[in-house]
Amino acid sequence: MDWLTRFVVAVAFLAAGVIFSPETFGSLSNGENSAKLLIFLKLAHLLSFATAWGAALWATFIGGIIMFKNLPRHQFGNLQSKMFPAYFTLVGSCCAISLSAFGYLHPWKSSSGVEKYQLGFLLSAFAFNLTNLFVFTPMTINMMKERHKVERENNIGDEVGWSKNREKAKTIPKLAAMNKKFGMIHGLSSLANILSFGSLAMHSWYLAGKMNL
């Protein structure tokens, strides 16, 4: 995932430069080339936003719930530990590309108040995903692995769906402490993910208002 990390960071700096200094990367001048560039930027923004929105919707409300209800809990956790870094990288990258394109089309200095709010929503979605990718997800995965080790020692974790963890934790202080720490970290990660999804939802409302059917 190292190359993905470098890619996300590079796109982040690009997005910041495009929003606050779009003239650095050229300007939309009159002519055929500008028309093609305009279409390309709109397409990049729309496809990147749609990908981020769709991935967030599926992972948050559909895929994760289905896997939780049908996989042994440790298997579910191990699968999520592989999927989450890829998920946050994908959504974060798409948010950055969408933010860059929207920022180029609507430079901060000349943007209306509504457009500035939309830049803020896209930036928030990107920041929340970046926080999850680099902070909460590594912490959650490490904590999960430690907790799985203690659970295996006590012959729990192979059940599907709801865990027997709470029953065992009543007699195992170490497991109870791990549950508390894991719950806090996982809760922060989930909150960041929901806030990112909410930011994308606000932008989808803006885009719907721009459609002429």
Side-chain angles (χ1 to χ4, degrees), residues 37 49 133 170 189 199 201:
L37 177 59
F49 168 78
L133 178 63
K170 293 177 182 178
S189 177
S199 297

Side-chain angles (χ1 to χ4, degrees), residues 78-144:
N78 290 329
L79 178 59
Q80 292 288 74
S81 71
K82 302 298 182 183
M83 290 184 61
F84 275 156
Y87 161 64
F88 290 125
T89 298
L90 171 65
V91 177
S93 298
C94 287
C95 286
I97 294 170
S98 188
L99 175 63
S100 298
F102 191 84
Y104 191 96
L105 293 167
H106 306 281
W108 184 265
K109 293 180 180 179
S110 58
S111 293
S112 66
V114 173
E115 290 165 349
K116 288 180 178 179
Y117 273 117
Q118 295 309 312
L119 283 167
F121 286 131
L122 289 172
L123 182 60
S124 295
F126 173 69
F128 285 129
N129 276 280
L130 215 62
T131 301
N132 250 328
L133 178 63
F134 293 122
V135 182
F136 295 138
T137 294
M139 293 172 66
T140 302
I141 292 174
N142 290 335
M143 194 66 226
M144 180 201 72

Side-chain angles (χ1 to χ4, degrees), residues 11-207:
V11 173
F13 280 106
L14 174 63
V18 167
I19 292 171
F20 296 106
S21 184
E23 62 273 8
T24 303
F25 302 92
S27 59
L28 292 173
S29 57
N30 295 327
E32 183 179 352
N33 289 336
S34 68
K36 290 181 178 179
L37 177 59
L38 187 65
I39 293 174
F40 173 77
L41 290 171
K42 288 182 176 181
L43 183 63
H45 170 249
L46 184 61
L47 291 181
S48 296
F49 168 78
T51 301
W53 169 260
L57 178 66
W58 175 264
T60 304
F61 299 107
I62 302 174
I65 295 174
I66 292 174
M67 287 187 289
F68 174 76
K69 290 183 176 181
N70 292 277
L71 292 176
R73 200 166 56 80
H74 282 186
Q75 185 177 338
F76 166 74
N78 290 329
L79 178 59
Q80 292 288 74
S81 71
K82 302 298 182 183
M83 290 184 61
F84 275 156
Y87 161 64
F88 290 125
T89 298
L90 171 65
V91 177
S93 298
C94 287
C95 286
I97 294 170
S98 188
L99 175 63
S100 298
F102 191 84
Y104 191 96
L105 293 167
H106 306 281
W108 184 265
K109 293 180 180 179
S110 58
S111 293
S112 66
V114 173
E115 290 165 349
K116 288 180 178 179
Y117 273 117
Q118 295 309 312
L119 283 167
F121 286 131
L122 289 172
L123 182 60
S124 295
F126 173 69
F128 285 129
N129 276 280
L130 215 62
T131 301
N132 250 328
L133 178 63
F134 293 122
V135 182
F136 295 138
T137 294
M139 293 172 66
T140 302
I141 292 174
N142 290 335
M143 194 66 226
M144 180 201 72
K145 290 179 178 179
E146 292 179 16
R147 194 170 71 154
H148 280 188
K149 183 179 179 180
V150 175
E151 288 177 337
R152 282 193 295 269
E153 293 172 354
N154 290 273
N155 299 316
I156 57 175
D158 292 328
E159 62 275 10
V160 176
W162 296 108
S163 172
K164 299 177 182 178
N165 177 295
R166 289 186 179 181
E167 297 176 11
K168 287 285 186 179
K170 293 177 182 178
T171 58
I172 306 174
K174 182 178 180 181
L175 184 57
M178 284 184 169
N179 288 345
K180 184 177 181 179
K181 185 176 179 180
F182 178 83
M184 180 185 66
I185 298 171
H186 187 264
L188 290 172
S189 177
S190 298
L191 177 62
N193 186 52
I194 290 296
L195 290 174
S196 170
F197 184 82
S199 297
L200 292 174
M202 293 302 296
H203 191 61
S204 71
W205 186 270
Y206 165 82
L207 292 178

